[in-house]
Amino acid sequence: MTRRIAIIQGHPDPAGHHLLHAMADAYAEGATAAAHEVSRIEVALLDFPLLRTQVDFESGALPPTLAQSREDMRWAEHWVFLFPLWHGTLPALFKGFLEHIFQPGFAVEYKKDRFPQPLLAGRSARIVVTMGMPALLYRWYFGAAGLRSFERSMLGFSGIKPIRESLYGLTFADDKKRARWIEDMRRHGRRGD
């Protein structure tokens, strides 16, 4: 079964030479080879202000530079988020992007005196995170707190499931490991998961 997939590459460096860029490319190659439809979003190439007030979050207009990204995400059935772990969580630019995209009315509907209603049910996601520390240390010692917050507070709260993870630690590893990780992404792309 073919799927509509949005690949959201959240590394904030626009230079494009990082492991995550290669992983996003590999996922897209695998997905395209398997006849999935793919849309790509490179957050570092987008220019947008950060949200600063509750009013901006609840009722502010989406910056025009993010309109296509939101439409691509609305179109997709499966989302692939790729980002480096910075201080235990998402880089600020990527978090700022998501705050705009996930404003009320897109991810969740708020009505007075009712629990918020998720609007993204029926979608799935894969989260790909690279980090300098061992992934096992991040998961077990630190409890993967930043990742869990993203999964629960944004994705899960919006109705997205299942949510799968791919954590890659010690990313300064040798070329053999990096090549295996890139192939791992290509395999996920072919499966559309």
Side-chain angles (χ1 to χ4, degrees):
M1 177 176 88
T2 61
R3 303 181 82 186
R4 295 187 311 269
I5 301 171
I7 300 172
I8 304 101
Q9 201 291 108
H11 197 296
D13 185 349
H17 62 275
H18 297 282
L19 173 60
L20 280 170
H21 294 95
M23 294 171 105
D25 290 344
Y27 190 102
E29 289 165 10
T32 302
H36 298 295
E37 296 178 66
V38 175
S39 175
R40 303 250 331 234
I41 299 168
E42 292 285 336
V43 175
L45 302 180
L46 301 170
D47 185 28
F48 56 89
L50 296 178
L51 292 169
R52 296 183 179 273
T53 68
Q54 183 176 351
V55 171
D56 284 345
F57 175 72
E58 291 176 351
S59 58
L62 183 72
T65 55
L66 297 182
Q68 186 61 54
S69 296
R70 184 182 273 177
E71 285 311 306
D72 288 350
M73 292 176 73
R74 188 182 315 277
W75 162 85
E77 301 163 306
H78 181 67
W79 296 348
V80 181
F81 297 96
L82 301 99
F83 61 90
L85 188 72
W86 284 13
H87 296 288
T89 192
L90 296 73
L93 184 69
F94 188 45
K95 177 78 164 53
F97 167 82
L98 292 170
E99 287 174 350
H100 275 293
I101 297 297
F102 278 73
Q103 284 178 281
F106 174 77
V108 176
E109 180 180 27
Y110 294 91
K111 290 188 177 177
K112 189 174 178 143
D113 300 325
R114 288 186 56 204
F115 193 75
Q117 299 299 304
L119 298 176
L120 299 174
R123 288 175 174 79
S124 59
R126 173 165 298 279
I127 302 171
V128 180
V129 183
T130 59
M131 61 193 78
M133 74 175 82
L136 190 62
L137 179 67
Y138 177 65
R139 188 181 299 278
W140 296 109
Y141 183 76
F142 292 102
L147 178 61
R148 297 285 169 254
S149 176
F150 176 44
E151 288 177 356
R152 291 180 184 145
S153 300
M154 291 187 108
L155 302 181
F157 193 67
S158 302
I160 298 169
K161 64 181 177 183
I163 302 166
R164 295 177 179 93
E165 305 168 353
S166 296
L167 305 182
Y168 299 93
L170 302 174
T171 54
F172 44 82
D174 61 65
D175 290 340
K176 278 185 174 179
K177 279 187 181 176
R178 294 168 69 97
R180 261 196 331 266
W181 298 339
I182 290 169
E183 187 52 39
D184 190 33
M185 285 297 103
R186 193 170 283 113
R187 189 173 54 254
H188 286 302
R190 283 191 298 269
R191 292 191 310 232
D193 72 355

